[in-house]
């Protein structure tokens, strides 16, 4: 694998290969010194044109645990000036000899554009409303760890699907692993077309909730919404918020997910997010070993979980 651009390129086998590798990095992460020399001498560049807390930190932690060097080219979205400037930035990074570029950008397709300009591996860390493949990989990993398998499981993705790259990758990963996916949202928060998406669509959350194994809630992405897509946030919460009362209508074993950052009390009630059904922190926790697996697949060689020798550890810390 040279790049990770879309989860759709992976299929069930590709996803499973990354998950198997993730298992070995979960083991590494549990060690007293959670670090292996697998990517020593490799350089990974962060190119984040959009704000990010968990994705960026998670990738950074993953790279460090693999002993890669990192360089930061992140720019505030205000200074973004697409076209030439993106290409110039890419060529500058390339000239410095980096091995991989992890990119987040507000425009769909930017990671693909980069692959035309650079030799480095490109990882899509979120492009506009389009895709967020590592999120889908960590979500499916989290579900496999919890349920054993996604085969035949019913997953509802709820809320602002229109603006969600998390949903854009998630539906394809969930479906590839055999889950049934239902999108639950008001018509104004659904994509213009879901043709070709392996999903059903519903508008009545109360009817769907008692049938699901997983309620995947999404952040209301107000910063991406132009015009009045909703009468009010209050009304959204009344019809689509996962409140404690609604969570009580779920099957006994059913679980709740959210990619973060959460608007507590809007799409997800605080007591549900912090309650026994919540997989939210497992998602965050699994993000690091999943991203280690991705970086290793793109750049690594040798045994992924090989321990650093004392001498190597010395060198790593020097
Ligand atoms: C998401 C993103 O930025 O796409 N967050 C994340 O990466 N975990 C979702 C969001 O912003 O709501």
């Amino acid at each position: 694998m040279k790049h990770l651009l879309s989860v759709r390129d992976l299929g069930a086998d590709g996803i499973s290969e990354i998950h198997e590798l993730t298992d070995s990095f979960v083991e590494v992460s549990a060690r007293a010194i959670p670090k292996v020399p697998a990517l020593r001498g490799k350089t990974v560049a962060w190119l984040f044109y959009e704000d990010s807390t968990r994705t960026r930190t998670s990738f950074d932690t993953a790279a460090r645990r693999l002993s890669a060097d990192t360089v930061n080219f992140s720019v505030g979205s205000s200074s973004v000036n697409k076209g030439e400037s993106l290409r110039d930035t890419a060529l500058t990074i390339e000239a410095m000899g980096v091995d991989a570029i992890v990119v987040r950008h507000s425009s769909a397709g930017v990671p693909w554009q980069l692959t035309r300009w650079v030799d480095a591996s490109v990882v899509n860390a979120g492009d506009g409303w389009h895709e967020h493949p590592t999120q889908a990989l960590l979500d499916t990993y989290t579900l496999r760890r919890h349920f054993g398998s996604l085969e035949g499981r019913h997953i509802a993705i709820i809320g602002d699907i229109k603006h969600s790259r998390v949903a854009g990758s998630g539906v394809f990963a969930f479906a590839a692993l055999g889950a049934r996916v239902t999108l639950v949202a008001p018509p104004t928060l659904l994509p213009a077309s879901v043709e070709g998406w392996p999903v059903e669509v519903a508008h009545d959350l109360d009817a769907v909730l008692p049938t699901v194994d997983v309620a995947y809630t999404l952040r209301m992405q107000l910063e991406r919404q132009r015009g009045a897509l909703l009468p009010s946030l209050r009304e959204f919460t009344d019809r689509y918020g996962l409140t404690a009362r609604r969570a009580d209508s779920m099957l006994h074993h059913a679980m709740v997910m959210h990619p973060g950052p959460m608007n507590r009390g809007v799409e997800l009630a605080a007591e549900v997010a912090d309650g026994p059904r919540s997989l939210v922190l497992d998602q965050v926790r699994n993000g690091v070993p999943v991203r280690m697996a991705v970086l290793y697949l793109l750049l690594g060689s040798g045994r992924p979980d090989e321990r650093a020798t004392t001498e190597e550890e010395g060198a790593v810390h020097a």
Side-chain angles (χ1 to χ4, degrees), residues 222-258:
L222 294 170
E223 82 281 12
R224 298 184 189 278
Q225 298 181 8
R226 288 186 200 100
L229 295 179
L230 291 168
S232 72
L233 267 189
R234 173 68 198 279
E235 228 160 298
F236 172 82
T237 305
D238 283 350
R239 293 200 55 198
Y240 294 99
L242 190 47
T243 57
R245 182 184 60 76
R246 285 206 170 98
D248 284 342
S249 76
M250 294 171 69
L251 294 166
H252 186 67
H253 68 269
M255 302 302 282
V256 172
M257 299 174 84
H258 192 295

Side-chain angles (χ1 to χ4, degrees), residues 158-160 205 216-221 233 236-237 240-243 246 256-270 272:
I158 304 158
D160 186 3
L205 180 60
Y216 197 109
T217 55
L218 293 171
R219 185 171 66 89
M220 185 57 76
Q221 298 180 68
L233 267 189
F236 172 82
T237 305
Y240 294 99
L242 190 47
T243 57
R246 285 206 170 98
V256 172
M257 299 174 84
H258 192 295
M262 291 185 265
N263 295 307
R264 286 169 178 260
V266 178
E267 66 268 2
L268 184 57
V272 181

